[in-house]
Amino acid sequence: MPAHQEWVENNNQYAATFGEKGELPLAPAKKLAIVTCMDARINVYAELGINEGDSHIIRNAGGCAKDALRSIIISQRLLGTREIAVFHHTDCGMLTFNTPQLRKLVKDSDPSNPALNAVDEIDFLEFNQLEQSVKDDVTYLKENPLVLAETTVTGWVYEVGTGKIRQVV
Amino acid sequence: MPAHQEWVENNNQYAATFGEKGELPLAPAKKLAIVTCMDARINVYAELGINEGDSHIIRNAGGCAKDALRSIIISQRLLGTREIAVFHHTDCGMLTFNTPQLRKLVKDSDPSNPALNAVDEIDFLEFNQLEQSVKDDVTYLKENPLVLAETTVTGWVYEVGTGKIRQVV
């Protein structure tokens, strides 16, 4: 059974007690954007005590700031956020491969298909060292001219084995 | 006070009752990747009854599939997911502007700074019609050679005013 068949019933329960959340405004109340990994073990709301309406949540493979730039510009310029928190996490898949390996894996999956060469255009943004990757992403955001200069930018590690966070920068 | 000072205490409470979640594997149990918007009103776990470990969650401005491609390839090729659900939502910021307007807004914020011309390289991926944008993103994923052919792809709308979801495609 596809996973999506399960969540229609779950959603009925959520909507039944939705209440005043339906009145929340478009702009995040805490003027905050969180960037974190797509990893299935990360429940941002529960982990940080965030509520609906508080913060933009940008998630991609690794929680890579560069991949989040389009969203961050929209978040800041159109929706008023002024703080960014970047979270990377222990046991991240981004620590387990590099871009040339993944490009080869994709192309080798069907060598007769030239359309797969499109993967050579993609930088998968992997990293080798967890804490350094957080520092690098914070530096990237602080130095990027398209990110507002007055932005508060912090960097964090989330430990998937314990549920704990720690600030890196 | 920056928002991040609040969540350290919240996280202590989360970690204190973390329990067996610390043993969850890297690969998503439901072989699922959800693509949705960064919007602050969207609590994916609560809305769909998703639990830690179930699904990759990819979030960006709009829930745009094109912007999620890097993450989707990693999700499928390295971590075994075989289903993608794309959610866009009512009252989305992506319905309120277009790329030329936002580029101009950024450049006009400091006309003396040529570094802001970098914004001309960014396609902000806005859309005009909500349901059509979901259909377009599902088509994009189904037709993209870098997405595995056997993938189940569905498209949904989330109503921020009611908490309800509905399937579009």
Side-chain angles (χ1 to χ4, degrees):
Chain A
M1 182 175 77
H4 69 260
Q5 290 183 22
E6 297 178 23
W7 67 52
V8 173
E9 186 176 345
N10 294 339
N11 176 253
N12 283 335
Q13 295 176 26
Y14 181 68
T17 59
F18 197 64
E20 63 190 14
K21 288 196 285 286
E23 307 298 323
L24 289 169
L26 178 56
K30 293 186 187 296
K31 299 184 183 299
L32 171 67
I34 291 172
V35 179
T36 192
C37 187
M38 68 178 176
D39 190 283
R41 298 164 292 183
I42 296 175
N43 181 345
V44 183
Y45 277 65
E47 161 196 329
L48 303 180
I50 296 284
N51 294 311
E52 285 95 336
D54 282 349
S55 174
H56 283 146
I57 313 279
I58 302 164
R59 300 184 62 169
N60 61 51
C64 295
K66 186 177 180 183
D67 198 42
L69 183 62
R70 177 187 69 89
S71 298
I72 287 170
I73 294 169
I74 293 169
S75 176
Q76 295 199 322
R77 301 285 179 158
L78 299 180
L79 294 163
T81 64
R82 293 295 182 270
E83 180 174 357
I84 305 170
V86 177
F87 284 79
H88 294 179
H89 68 93
T90 57
D91 195 36
C92 185
M94 302 301 284
L95 294 158
T96 67
F97 74 99
N98 61 43
T99 290
Q101 287 170 345
L102 183 48
R103 288 176 177 166
K104 183 174 188 301
L105 186 154
V106 170
K107 290 185 286 186
D108 285 355
S109 69
D110 184 1
S112 68
N113 185 357
L116 295 182
N117 291 331
V119 77
D120 288 334
E121 304 300 317
I122 301 177
D123 181 348
F124 286 98
L125 303 175
E126 71 278 8
F127 41 79
N128 291 318
Q129 294 201 324
L130 178 57
E131 300 211 355
Q132 187 60 47
S133 74
V134 175
K135 293 175 186 172
D136 290 347
D137 272 14
V138 169
T139 299
Y140 169 83
L141 293 171
K142 286 187 171 177
E143 294 183 349
N144 195 303
L146 299 178
V147 176
L148 291 169
E150 65 265 37
T151 308
T152 300
V153 186
T154 55
W156 304 72
V157 164
Y158 174 71
E159 297 180 349
V160 295
T162 65
K164 293 181 181 172
I165 59 170
R166 62 174 189 273
Q167 187 167 8
V168 174
V169 60
Chain B
M1 184 174 74
H4 70 260
Q5 290 183 21
E6 297 179 22
W7 66 53
V8 173
E9 186 176 346
N10 295 339
N11 175 254
N12 282 335
Q13 295 176 26
Y14 181 67
T17 59
F18 197 64
E20 63 190 13
K21 287 197 285 285
E23 307 298 322
L24 289 169
L26 177 57
K30 294 187 186 297
K31 298 184 183 300
L32 171 67
I34 291 172
V35 179
T36 193
C37 186
M38 68 178 177
D39 190 283
R41 297 164 293 184
I42 297 175
N43 181 345
V44 183
Y45 277 66
E47 161 196 330
L48 303 180
I50 297 283
N51 295 310
E52 285 95 336
D54 283 348
S55 173
H56 283 147
I57 313 279
I58 302 164
R59 301 184 61 169
N60 61 50
C64 295
K66 186 176 180 184
D67 198 42
L69 184 61
R70 177 187 70 90
S71 298
I72 287 171
I73 294 169
I74 292 169
S75 177
Q76 295 198 323
R77 302 283 180 158
L78 300 181
L79 294 163
T81 63
R82 291 297 180 269
E83 180 175 357
I84 305 170
V86 177
F87 285 79
H88 294 179
H89 67 93
T90 57
D91 195 35
C92 185
M94 303 301 285
L95 294 158
T96 66
F97 74 100
N98 62 43
T99 290
Q101 288 169 344
L102 183 48
R103 286 176 178 167
K104 183 174 188 302
L105 186 154
V106 170
K107 290 185 288 186
D108 286 354
S109 69
D110 185 2
S112 67
N113 184 358
L116 295 182
N117 291 331
V119 77
D120 287 334
E121 304 300 317
I122 302 178
D123 181 348
F124 286 98
L125 303 174
E126 71 277 9
F127 41 80
N128 290 318
Q129 294 201 325
L130 179 58
E131 300 211 355
Q132 187 60 46
S133 75
V134 174
K135 294 175 185 172
D136 290 346
D137 272 14
V138 169
T139 299
Y140 169 83
L141 292 171
K142 286 187 171 177
E143 293 183 349
N144 194 303
L146 300 178
V147 176
L148 291 169
E150 65 264 37
T151 309
T152 300
V153 186
T154 56
W156 304 72
V157 164
Y158 174 72
E159 297 178 352
V160 296
T162 65
K164 291 181 182 173
I165 59 170
R166 62 174 189 272
Q167 187 167 7
V168 174
V169 60

